[in-house]
Amino acid sequence: MNSYDLSTLISRAERVLAQLEAWLPPAPPEINWSAQAFRWRKRGARGWLDAVRNVSSINLVDLQHVERQKDIIDRNTRHFLEKKPANNVLMTGARGTGKSSLVKAMLAAYGDKGLRLIEVDKSDMGDLGDIVDLVNDRPERFIVFCDDLSFEEGEPGYKALKSVLDGSISASGDNVLIYATSNRRHLMPEYMSENLTAKHQSDGEIHPGETVEEKISLSERFGLWLSFYPFKQDDYLDIVGYWLGVHGCSPESIATSRTEALQWALERGSRSGRVARQFARDWAARQFSA
């Protein structure tokens, strides 16, 4: 082979490599470990921790009428930071009552003390093992957070979460906890027909069927269950008043808002903290623009 043939072969190979590179996904960026919050991103089969630049800030004092839940999750998180035994947490119940806000408040309270938050979409729960391996040697303490977690039958993330929580041959590491919120107590749909498989013993004891047992087994792997309930009317109005105060409304303006605040909740079919905060924004903006 002469030099002309060799240079032609090299030129063709370079063109082929350039075409292949155009089809291949780019390498994931370097992880900015100085960030306090991350999102798990996917591009093809590759995943990486993407630093969150503007972290949603909410403090514990901003969460009203969930004192018991605040105390429990705060104590658990402090134990985790102090390298004491701590539990994974499942928060279930009424929408808009502060479940996800409570997790963000933990980051606001303890981010300067080494706490880090990794938000993972439920469609990426199958990557939990990779995430745990990625942070295993880091000195920080990581909460893997999944909001509105639920599974349908046969979803792959179900088994991945089950293994990381408990039962895998490899430990999840002592610097990782999972905090999840869900509207389903057992994270999966439950059907009336499943109750037909229950077994009734001669002594009157009832044993759930295998399908029910399988669904319960996932939620039971969370060491802490926190339930959230719809707010009473007075509690809802207290929350409205709190946020109106934050927005700088006068006590007279807050008192005047009562009727409209109740109408606002009635139209949305919910007396939740989220609805209260949304009303407060609207009311405060109208007062200051008048």
Side-chain angles (χ1 to χ4, degrees):
M1 181 180 293
N2 57 40
S3 59
Y4 173 79
D5 292 335
L6 182 61
S7 62
T8 301
L9 182 62
I10 292 173
S11 177
R12 288 178 178 175
E14 288 175 343
R15 288 199 299 271
V16 170
L17 287 174
Q19 291 175 344
L20 287 174
E21 288 177 352
W23 285 96
L24 291 173
E30 291 291 326
I31 299 173
N32 177 14
W33 291 112
S34 64
Q36 291 188 354
F38 304 87
R39 288 191 184 95
W40 180 250
R41 301 290 195 186
K42 290 290 292 289
R43 185 181 292 134
R46 295 180 179 179
W48 73 95
L49 293 176
D50 186 26
V52 177
R53 292 174 178 82
N54 298 310
V55 180
S56 176
S57 179
I58 190 165
N59 298 308
L60 280 172
V61 69
D62 296 328
L63 301 173
Q64 305 286 310
H65 296 287
V66 286
E67 299 306 321
R68 176 180 174 274
Q69 294 90 333
K70 282 199 294 186
D71 290 343
I72 292 174
I73 199 169
D74 183 65
R75 181 181 67 233
N76 190 68
T77 305
R78 282 189 286 103
H79 288 170
F80 177 53
L81 286 170
E82 294 164 1
K83 299 184 179 181
K84 296 177 181 178
N87 281 302
N88 300 298
V89 182
L90 175 62
M91 291 169 277
T92 63
R95 65 186 187 276
T97 48
K99 298 186 293 294
S100 59
S101 295
L102 197 49
V103 180
K104 296 171 187 175
M106 291 298 99
L107 182 63
Y110 299 112
D112 293 338
K113 298 180 180 179
L115 187 67
R116 300 292 181 264
L117 189 65
I118 302 175
E119 187 172 5
V120 181
D121 190 85
K122 68 176 183 178
S123 61
D124 295 326
M125 294 302 282
D127 298 328
L128 275 179
D130 295 333
I131 296 171
V132 170
D133 290 343
L134 195 59
V135 303
N136 187 59
D137 295 327
R138 296 294 305 176
E140 301 89 354
R141 315 292 283 175
F142 293 88
I143 289 177
V144 175
F145 172 52
C146 185
D147 195 20
D148 196 20
L149 179 63
S150 63
F151 295 104
E152 300 301 327
E153 301 289 349
E155 284 193 60
Y158 174 84
K159 290 186 177 179
L161 176 58
K162 201 172 178 181
S163 296
V164 170
L165 287 171
D166 184 25
S168 173
I169 193 170
S170 61
S172 62
D174 67 352
N175 69 334
V176 176
L177 280 184
I178 296 176
Y179 284 8
T181 72
S182 179
N183 292 325
R184 293 172 175 170
R185 183 66 179 265
H186 293 141
L187 303 176
M188 296 186 72
E190 300 178 53
Y191 305 103
M192 288 293 295
S193 59
E194 293 169 353
N195 294 324
L196 300 177
T197 62
K199 298 177 182 179
H200 299 263
Q201 303 298 325
S202 57
D203 59 0
E205 186 177 0
I206 300 176
H207 293 275
E210 291 183 1
T211 304
V212 177
E213 288 280 11
E214 173 67 14
K215 292 181 176 181
I216 294 174
S217 69
L218 176 60
S219 58
E220 281 190 342
R221 281 172 162 77
F222 288 90
L224 285 177
W225 286 5
L226 296 179
S227 298
F228 291 72
Y229 305 98
F231 293 120
K232 300 174 183 177
Q233 179 173 295
D234 289 343
D235 294 342
Y236 165 74
L237 291 172
D238 282 346
I239 299 171
V240 168
Y242 172 81
W243 284 113
L244 287 175
V246 169
H247 291 303
C249 291
S250 66
E252 293 78 12
S253 176
I254 294 173
T256 307
S257 71
R258 177 185 175 92
T259 300
E260 281 201 38
L262 293 175
Q263 291 174 344
W264 184 282
L266 185 62
E267 290 171 355
R268 283 153 182 77
S270 172
R271 290 195 300 258
S272 70
R274 181 184 297 129
V275 169
R277 191 174 186 184
Q278 291 166 348
F279 170 78
R281 291 193 190 108
D282 180 77
W283 176 269
R286 285 187 282 130
Q287 300 308 300
F288 293 125
S289 62

